[in-house]
Amino acid sequence: MADKTFLDWPFFEPRHKALAENLDAWAAQNLAHIDHSDTDSACRQLVAELGEAGWLTHSAIDTADPKPLDVRTLCLIRETLARHDGLADFAFAMQGLGTGALSLFGTPEQQARWLPETRSGRALSAFALTEPQSGSDVAATATTATRDGTDYVLSGEKTWISNGGIADLYTVFARTGEAPGARGLSAFLLPADTPGLQIAERLETITPHPLARLRFDDLRLPASALIGKPGDGFRIAMSVLDVFRSTVAAAALGFARRALDEALARATSRQLFGAPMADLQMVQGHLADMALDVDAAALLTYRAAWTKDSGAPRVTREAAMAKLFATDRAQSVIDKAVQLHGGDGVRKGSTVESLYREIRALRIYEGASDVQKVVIARATIAATQGRNDR
């Protein structure tokens, strides 16, 4: 049984606790039957069921009653789903990330066209930012969007795009050239049936997720597909990541909680040298380290989410700290769980073996761990200089 005492922390309101408990019960009842043998079909089914149950209404704003995204809710949903099923967390996360630019910067017409579809689970969304030569360095984006009359013509490639090949809608970032570097990017809505969009390659990883490399071959989009203004792309991308980066930490936290639960069950039921494993001081030391890492990660994750929900315009530093610590420490927690399971820990299909494969990607996507250190250091230096200037 996962620890839920954190729901009584002052970061949360009663509605958050109720949501987490209701989702936990729903996930226990509805996720075990999902067939993961066909990843694409499983993702479509998960999105449909999450939509039918109403959980996707939290992934984007409601066009009828637009309110800011509640980051604590997003984090609680991702943590809970990740604890039950990594692919379910992925399915929810991509609905939010893929439409994040629409929620934050879309026109009423754009939002009315797409958000009811993605919030209901009738349409899958994707966030197309990464390129073969520009991952964490968004300013190096090479894909171009050239104005041609009333259209933009897109040329280039994107890679490691989650939901690539199965999404109905892509948010694409391309260079429109208003200024050099980051200031010359723009964001566009790209329906999947647009002529010129090619799924150049489906990408396989250690944990099956729908990923693809996309190619834009003289693809035409009307000017109405532009999100925000020309040249706003970098600001839009960073604003979306500012919201959703904390949720990556929450997913890692969910994986870590599940690993701790599995380790506790193993240690208390497995006999070793005539007594439960949990009686051994070395095992107790591992369990203590795991519990400490889980709680520390939770504090950083929900501090970042609470800070954003409390009105902070940016939480770049807090979100970077949460993602870096939660993903790195979840890797350690899961590794300890595998070790405590012995041979069973590396048996394909076991819970901790699956967690071991699931966690690795989280230390890379939406800003690799080393990049987060740069972000934290720069923010810390800037804050120190600001204090010294006063």
Side-chain angles (χ1 to χ4, degrees):
M1 178 67 68
D3 174 37
K4 295 182 182 178
T5 57
F6 74 99
L7 292 171
D8 294 320
W9 290 354
F11 294 122
F12 303 111
E13 300 168 22
R15 62 187 175 90
H16 293 114
K17 183 175 182 178
L19 177 139
E21 292 176 343
N22 290 336
L23 177 57
D24 189 39
W26 179 88
Q29 271 195 323
N30 292 277
L31 294 182
H33 74 281
I34 301 293
D35 180 4
H36 286 62
S37 61
D38 183 332
T39 304
D40 288 359
S41 294
C43 273
R44 291 190 183 98
Q45 182 180 356
L46 283 163
V47 169
E49 294 196 14
L50 287 165
E52 184 178 352
W55 301 114
L56 291 180
T57 60
H58 302 285
S59 69
I61 65 166
D62 182 355
T63 55
D65 183 23
K67 296 176 182 176
L69 292 169
D70 189 272
V71 186
R72 287 168 293 176
T73 293
L74 293 171
C75 286
L76 284 169
I77 292 175
R78 288 205 64 181
E79 178 187 335
T80 304
L81 291 175
R83 183 160 47 79
H84 284 273
D85 185 308
L87 198 60
D89 162 64
F90 172 93
F92 176 84
M94 289 308 107
Q95 291 299 94
L97 183 65
T99 57
L102 262 181
S103 287
L104 299 176
F105 298 97
T107 65
E109 293 75 20
Q110 291 170 335
Q111 293 173 347
R113 167 65 184 88
W114 284 108
L115 294 187
E117 296 295 304
T118 61
R119 293 173 83 245
S120 65
R122 293 191 296 268
L124 278 69
S125 64
F127 187 76
L129 180 64
T130 300
E131 296 188 1
Q133 301 301 321
S134 65
S136 297
D137 185 8
V138 177
T141 293
T143 295
T144 59
T146 305
R147 190 67 186 256
D148 182 21
T150 60
D151 294 340
Y152 282 92
V153 180
L154 271 64
S155 298
E157 285 193 359
K158 299 290 180 178
T159 193
W160 297 113
I161 305 306
S162 296
N163 276 352
I166 65 171
D168 300 288
L169 175 70
Y170 297 87
T171 299
V172 178
F173 296 85
R175 183 164 301 284
T176 43
E178 287 73 24
R183 293 177 295 171
L185 305 180
S186 298
F188 298 88
L189 288 175
L190 171 58
D193 58 0
T194 304
L197 171 60
Q198 301 176 19
I199 308 302
E201 180 184 10
R202 294 299 299 271
L203 304 171
E204 295 187 14
T205 58
I206 57 175
T207 301
H209 286 166
L211 296 159
R213 176 167 60 89
L214 313 178
R215 181 180 297 125
F216 311 121
D217 184 13
D218 291 329
L219 183 153
R220 283 188 173 269
L221 286 174
S224 60
L226 181 71
I227 305 174
K229 295 182 293 187
D232 278 354
F234 183 81
R235 181 173 69 91
I236 290 172
M238 293 304 103
S239 295
V240 172
L241 294 176
D242 208 44
V243 169
F244 286 94
R245 188 165 281 153
S246 298
T247 76
V248 181
L253 180 58
F255 292 144
R257 284 198 199 278
R258 180 61 181 269
L260 177 55
D261 289 348
E262 296 293 325
L264 286 166
R266 177 78 172 192
T268 54
S269 64
R270 179 82 165 182
Q271 295 289 309
L272 198 62
F273 307 120
M277 281 179 63
D279 287 355
L280 298 176
Q281 286 187 335
M282 185 68 75
V283 172
Q284 291 176 2
H286 288 321
L287 293 173
D289 287 341
M290 296 163 78
L292 177 62
D293 283 341
V294 166
D295 267 21
L299 286 165
L300 282 172
T301 299
Y302 289 110
R303 178 192 70 160
W306 173 84
T307 301
K308 184 65 175 177
D309 288 342
S310 297
R314 297 297 298 271
V315 289
T316 304
R317 177 175 176 271
E318 292 87 346
M321 284 184 167
K323 182 184 185 293
L324 172 64
F325 188 87
T327 56
D328 281 2
R329 299 325 299 161
Q331 183 88 61
S332 176
V333 169
I334 293 168
D335 186 70
K336 288 182 174 70
V338 170
Q339 193 73 20
L340 289 172
H341 277 74
D344 288 339
V346 292
R347 186 175 61 191
K348 185 173 177 58
S350 72
T351 298
V352 292
E353 182 269 344
S354 298
L355 291 168
Y356 194 82
R357 289 184 288 108
E358 284 279 7
I359 188 56
R360 194 58 187 87
L362 272 67
R363 297 173 60 200
I364 298 172
Y365 74 70
E366 289 193 41
S369 292
D370 288 341
V371 173
Q372 300 309 311
K373 291 180 181 180
V374 173
V375 171
I376 294 165
R378 288 177 175 173
T380 303
I381 292 167
T384 300
Q385 290 175 337
R387 288 194 297 269
N388 291 340
D389 290 342
R390 288 198 293 269

